[in-house]
């Protein structure tokens, strides 16, 4: 499978485009989003297939993605009639079939930040001097999302029960409002309503509703646009509008801060900045520059001229221009116009593309700082003609940049810890023996989702002096560095004892005595088998471990409880009994740890049945041991596992 298949093998919409926007490949989800069969999309311009209202945004996204990562919210036709709002990322990739460059566009998972998908709608309604609200039938509430300040003053409560709104509507107009909320059309016509405000009497409003789906496979909501046709202007309205606008601004800042704090990866941090920064501070565009090996790696919301982005991407940190200087010195810059830019950075202004900045150029640059540390990057916002942010806004933006810097450093430190833990775990997992006559052996391991990527589950397989193959799987209490260290000790003990003891029961008995004598702080469960490749004879025992699974070529399976004893390291003087049986040809034994077959919503019995069914189906489909192990592990991870998981498959060929 080549790299392009990997980019398109996703559940969410994805496509590969040429640099001029022509679709060279797409997955079924993207074809569905574009509203036509995949074969009718190939060779067509991506923006031409988007709705007319989205074409300019789609074109801009592709143009920026030719050189850097860009994101933008786009609307697609929905399957149920409601349009779908998706956060689309576009980034440059190499064509695996040649040297040409492609653009990969795909929908990002915004389920943890649905508010970011609403920003374009709020911006559009504000520009049109309209108000915007969202209705959720589950909570029976209307949430005011913002818009024209004068309209916001008419609805002073950001979240209101539907019954409260209806009670303020004229009795003769209340049924019209209910019909609007029950409408199943993608967009209704404008309907007039008389609405009684708290301060200045009746207002004549016009309301239009529509349904929008937030994200691919996301929730559907009803949105309403409100226009005030009253023609009255009062001082109280203006004062209330200013108060509401400030409240909305405070809410935006709070959401921005919260999203920065909860970002768990650089990708999520990038999403937060590029979807919120420009909208929050009234800017026309934003870019995020992170430092990689002394050079800038730039991503953008596609709202800044490409000539600027082009120059900054890959720029050396030593370059004499404001963005690198802000990162080097940790000091922010506000550039009110082109003249000020040329005066302060004459060398940078001589750079051809930077010299073409417009006469009304204005921008703010904030380093992503953290007290006592070198900034890891900076963000830059540009402002449209005539707009200049206040000092308070620039100060607030700097505070958020400091918060982003702290989040970025935390993310990178965590990533370094994860990489270190992963490397340690890999060194502790054994290499399975190859070319076993008559047997296929495959193993898989996945750590807990909590803490470091390291844990106490283990597996092992090695050839005994008599030619049988010893197989073991176990689970050391805990999933941290201490558990991993204890696991390594137990596995080493068992290997050493197995070289002297021919029977698996004796190996567990000796291992248990050793752990009890040492006063080990942790206990371990374990299953051990000896498999004779020549005739399929299996001798096995268990120390408090989950049962063994046997899968057959006809798709059937069975659960085998092995004799044995309690977990290792707890009860002294324990003898572990054995059982001998035969593994038929073209059958497989599946050994798992409890994380594979137990979970928050999965009982042990149901988990064993699910894993056995998967193993039987894999053999029936002709899959080998490697593919069977993958199928079982993938199913376990999909059930939101909390514990480490390990799978060991032995198939007799």
């Amino acid at each position: 499978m080549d790299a392009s298949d990997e980019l398109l093998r996703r559940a969410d919409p994805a496509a590969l485009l040429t640099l001029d926007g022509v679709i060279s490949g797409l997955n079924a989800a993207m074809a569905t989003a574009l509203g036509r069969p995949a074969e009718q999309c190939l060779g067509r311009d991506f923006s031409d297939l988007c709705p007319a209202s989205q074409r300019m945004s789609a074109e801009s996204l592709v143009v920026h993605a030719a050189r850097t990562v860009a994101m933008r919210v786009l609307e697609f036709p929905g399957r149920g009639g409601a349009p779908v709002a998706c956060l689309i990322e576009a980034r440059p990739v190499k064509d695996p079939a040649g040297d040409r460059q492609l653009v990969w566009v795909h929908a990002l998972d915004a389920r943890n930040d649905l508010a970011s998908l609403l920003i374009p709608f709020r911006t559009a309604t504000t520009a049109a001097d309209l108000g915007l609200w969202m209705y959720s039938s589950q909570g029976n509430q209307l949430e005011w999302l913002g818009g024209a300040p004068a309209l916001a003053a008419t609805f002073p409560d950001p979240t209101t029960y539907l019954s409260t709104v209806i009670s303020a509507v004229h009795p003769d107009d209340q049924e019209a409002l209910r019909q609007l909320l029950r409408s199943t059309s993608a967009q209704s016509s404008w309907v007039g309503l008389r609405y009684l405000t708290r301060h200045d009497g009746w207002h004549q409003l016009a309301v239009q509703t529509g349904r929008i789906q937030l994200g691919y496979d996301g929730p559907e909501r009803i949105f309403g646009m409100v226009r005030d046709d009253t023609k009255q202007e009062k001082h109280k309205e203006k004062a209330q509008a200013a108060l509401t606008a400030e409240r909305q601004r405070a809410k935006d800042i709070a959401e921005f801060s919260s999203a920065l704090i909860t970002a768990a990866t650089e990708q999520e941090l990038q999403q937060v900045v590029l979807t919120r920064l420009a909208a929050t501070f009234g800017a026309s565009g934003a870019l995020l520059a992170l430092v990689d090996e002394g050079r800038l790696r730039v991503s953008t919301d596609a709202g800044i001229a490409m000539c600027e982005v082009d120059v900054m991407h890959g720029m050396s940190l030593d370059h004499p221009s404001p963005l690198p200087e802000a990162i080097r010195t940790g000091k922010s810059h506000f550039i009110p116009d082109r003249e000020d830019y040329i005066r302060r950075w004459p060398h940078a202004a001589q750079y051809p593309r930077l010299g073409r900045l417009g006469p009304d150029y204005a921008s703010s640059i904030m380093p992503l700082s953290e007290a006592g540390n070198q900034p890891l990057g900076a963000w830059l916002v540009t402002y449209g003609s005539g707009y200049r942010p206040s000092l308070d806004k620039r100060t607030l933006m700097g505070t958020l940049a400091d918060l982003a810097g702290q989040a970025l450093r935390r993310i990178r430190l965590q990533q370094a810890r994860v990489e270190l833990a992963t490397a340690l775990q890999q060194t502790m997992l054994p290499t399975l023996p190859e070319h076993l006559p008559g047997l296929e052996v495959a193993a898989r391991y996945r750590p807990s989702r909590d803490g470091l990527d390291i844990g106490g589950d283990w597996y092992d397989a090695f050839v005994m002096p008599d030619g049988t193959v010893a197989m073991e799987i176990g689970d050391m209490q805990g999933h941290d560095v201490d558990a991993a260290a204890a696991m390594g000790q137990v596995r080493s003990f068992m290997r050493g004892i197995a070289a002297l003891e021919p029977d698996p029961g004796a190996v567990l008995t000796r291992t248990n005595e050793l752990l009890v004598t040492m006063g080990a702080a942790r206990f371990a469960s374990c299953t051990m088998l000896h498999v004779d490749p020549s005739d399929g004879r299996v001798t096995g025992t268990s120390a408090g471990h989950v049962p063994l699974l046997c899968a057959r070529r006809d798709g059937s399976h069975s659960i085998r409880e092995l004799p044995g004893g309690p977990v290792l390291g707890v009860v002294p003087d324990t003898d572990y009994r054995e059982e001998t049986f035969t593994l038929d040809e073209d059958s497989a034994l599946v050994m798992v740890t409890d994380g594979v077959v137990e979970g928050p919503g999965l009982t042990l019995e149901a988990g064993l049945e699910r894993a056995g069914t998967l193993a039987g189906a894999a053999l029936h489909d002709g899959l080998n041991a490697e593919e069977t192990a993958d199928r079982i592990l993938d199913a376990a991870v999909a059930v939101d596992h909390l514990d480490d998981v390990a799978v060991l498959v032995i198939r007799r060929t």
Side-chain angles (χ1 to χ4, degrees):
M1 179 177 294
D2 63 29
S4 60
D5 290 332
E6 284 295 327
L7 294 176
L8 298 178
R9 197 177 74 172
R10 303 168 62 88
D12 50 0
L16 288 171
L17 317 179
T18 63
L19 294 184
D20 55 358
V22 175
I23 298 175
S24 64
L26 74 168
N27 62 9
M30 180 60 82
T32 300
L34 295 175
R36 60 194 71 208
E39 57 269 21
Q40 294 183 16
C41 299
L42 292 172
R44 298 282 301 279
D45 189 284
F46 174 71
S47 60
D48 287 347
L49 298 180
C50 294
S53 62
Q54 303 296 299
R55 287 173 187 166
M56 288 184 63
S57 294
E59 286 179 5
S60 174
L61 191 66
V62 174
V63 168
H64 282 74
R67 289 182 173 83
T68 187
V69 178
M71 297 181 193
R72 179 157 280 187
V73 176
L74 295 180
E75 265 186 65
F76 295 95
R79 285 167 288 188
V84 181
C86 291
L87 177 57
I88 301 296
E89 180 191 71
R91 62 170 63 230
V93 295
K94 278 288 185 183
D95 181 4
D99 292 331
R100 65 174 180 163
Q101 192 172 11
L102 298 176
V103 172
W104 177 41
V105 295
H106 64 108
L108 293 172
D109 184 0
R111 285 175 294 182
N112 293 330
D113 190 18
L114 290 178
S116 67
L117 299 177
L118 305 178
I119 291 174
F121 303 105
R122 289 167 43 191
T123 303
T125 51
T126 301
D129 206 33
L130 301 173
L132 183 69
W133 51 261
M134 178 174 66
Y135 172 64
S136 172
S137 57
Q138 294 178 343
N140 208 27
Q141 291 182 327
L142 278 81
E143 180 182 356
W144 182 255
L145 300 180
L151 272 167
T154 309
F155 300 91
D157 298 324
T159 302
T160 309
Y161 284 104
L162 176 62
S163 58
T164 303
V165 175
I166 290 178
S167 66
V169 174
H170 193 281
D172 295 343
D173 299 335
Q174 291 177 1
E175 184 56 27
L177 176 58
R178 293 190 180 97
Q179 289 183 5
L180 279 174
L181 297 177
R182 291 195 295 262
S183 174
T184 59
S185 62
Q187 184 170 302
S188 74
S189 57
W190 288 95
V191 174
L193 300 173
R194 286 162 290 179
Y195 188 84
L196 184 62
T197 65
R198 297 177 182 177
H199 303 292
D200 53 358
W202 291 96
H203 278 237
Q204 183 65 45
L205 305 179
V207 179
Q208 183 183 57
T209 59
R211 293 182 299 127
I212 296 177
Q213 183 178 325
L214 297 177
Y216 183 75
D217 285 340
E220 186 177 288
R221 294 288 185 265
I222 296 176
F223 289 82
M225 290 184 290
V226 183
R227 185 181 70 238
D228 193 346
D229 296 334
T230 308
K231 307 293 184 185
Q232 296 181 1
E233 293 289 339
K234 295 182 179 178
H235 177 72
K236 188 184 293 185
E237 278 183 341
K238 293 180 179 179
Q240 185 62 43
L243 179 62
T244 304
E246 185 60 31
R247 183 185 62 201
Q248 183 63 54
R249 178 167 169 265
K251 181 182 177 184
D252 290 345
I253 296 298
E255 289 179 350
F256 198 159
S257 303
S258 176
L260 287 173
I261 292 169
T262 57
T265 64
E266 283 196 27
Q267 168 81 17
E268 291 185 8
L269 183 73
Q270 191 179 52
Q271 289 178 217
V272 170
V273 173
L274 296 182
T275 54
R276 296 175 180 275
L277 184 57
T280 301
F281 291 98
S284 58
L287 66 77
L288 177 67
L290 302 181
V291 179
D292 276 344
E293 298 181 354
R295 294 193 172 273
L296 304 187
R297 172 165 52 88
V298 174
S299 55
T300 172
D301 66 354
I304 294 181
M306 199 63 219
C307 67
E308 290 184 72
V309 177
D310 241 357
V311 172
M312 296 177 192
H313 191 64
M315 180 180 284
S316 168
L317 199 56
D318 297 327
H319 193 276
S321 57
L323 188 59
E325 182 179 309
I327 298 173
R328 290 195 311 269
T329 64
K331 296 180 179 179
S332 61
H333 297 297
F334 175 65
I335 306 169
D337 50 42
R338 182 175 182 272
E339 182 179 336
D340 181 73
Y341 179 92
I342 294 173
R343 179 180 59 80
R344 294 164 66 185
W345 292 279
H347 295 294
Q350 292 170 10
Y351 208 90
R353 293 187 179 179
L354 291 178
R356 292 203 297 266
L357 297 175
D360 61 343
Y361 178 87
S363 66
S364 290
I365 302 172
M366 302 289 173
L368 306 185
S369 302
E370 184 190 29
N373 288 304
Q374 173 75 24
L376 299 175
W379 65 40
L380 178 148
V381 297
T382 57
Y383 304 98
S385 178
Y387 179 79
R388 298 295 180 267
S390 66
L391 179 59
D392 286 347
K393 280 193 174 183
R394 300 203 303 270
T395 302
L396 180 57
M397 189 190 300
T399 301
L400 288 175
D402 291 345
L403 188 60
Q406 296 171 26
L408 182 57
R409 190 168 299 277
R410 167 181 50 80
I411 289 168
R412 290 192 172 178
L413 286 173
Q414 178 63 19
Q415 182 62 32
R417 294 175 66 209
V418 168
E419 290 173 358
L420 177 61
T422 302
L424 175 60
Q425 184 74 53
Q426 291 303 315
T427 63
M428 301 185 74
L429 294 177
T431 301
L432 299 183
E434 298 181 0
H435 311 302
L436 294 172
L439 293 179
E440 287 181 357
V441 179
R444 296 291 183 270
Y445 171 80
R446 187 73 62 85
S448 164
R449 72 176 189 186
D450 293 327
L452 292 176
D453 279 359
I454 193 166
D457 286 12
W458 86 89
Y459 59 83
D460 205 354
F462 49 93
V463 179
M464 298 285 290
D466 62 358
T468 61
V469 180
M471 319 287 298
E472 67 185 58
I473 193 166
D475 183 357
M476 177 64 64
Q477 177 193 14
H479 42 82
D480 52 23
V481 174
D482 291 339
M487 171 270 287
Q489 283 185 316
V490 172
R491 189 165 63 81
S492 298
F493 292 161
M494 293 183 68
R495 274 236 183 182
I497 294 170
L500 304 173
E501 295 285 357
D503 301 320
V507 174
L508 293 193
T509 297
R510 293 274 304 277
T511 303
N512 180 64
E513 291 174 358
L514 186 58
L515 292 177
V516 170
T517 301
M518 292 172 55
R522 297 171 184 257
F523 60 83
S525 66
C526 178
T527 291
M528 189 171 190
L529 308 177
H530 283 187
V531 183
D532 189 335
S534 62
D535 58 7
R537 188 168 178 268
V538 181
T539 302
T541 184
S542 174
H545 202 67
V546 296
L548 191 66
L549 295 168
C550 182
R552 292 170 282 274
R553 180 62 184 270
D554 62 3
S556 64
H557 72 276
S558 58
I559 300 171
R560 181 178 289 271
E561 286 269 10
L562 293 174
V567 293
L568 302 173
V570 176
V571 181
D573 302 323
T574 299
D575 290 325
Y576 290 85
R577 295 179 294 111
E578 300 171 346
E579 177 183 357
T580 299
F581 58 94
T582 299
L583 175 62
D584 296 331
E585 292 185 359
D586 224 2
S587 297
L589 295 176
V590 180
M591 306 167 74
V592 300
T593 54
D594 56 3
V596 177
V597 291
E598 287 186 293
L602 188 68
T603 64
L604 176 62
E605 293 76 14
L608 286 168
E609 185 64 29
R610 183 191 65 172
T613 301
L614 288 170
L619 264 63
H620 183 267
D621 294 343
L623 302 187
N624 60 23
E626 298 282 349
E627 294 165 323
T628 302
D630 282 335
R631 183 173 286 189
I632 295 170
L633 183 70
D634 290 345
V637 172
V639 185
D640 194 24
H641 75 287
L642 298 175
D643 202 357
D644 312 319
V645 294
V647 179
L648 187 59
V649 177
I650 313 100
R651 177 171 172 261
R652 187 181 176 203
T653 58

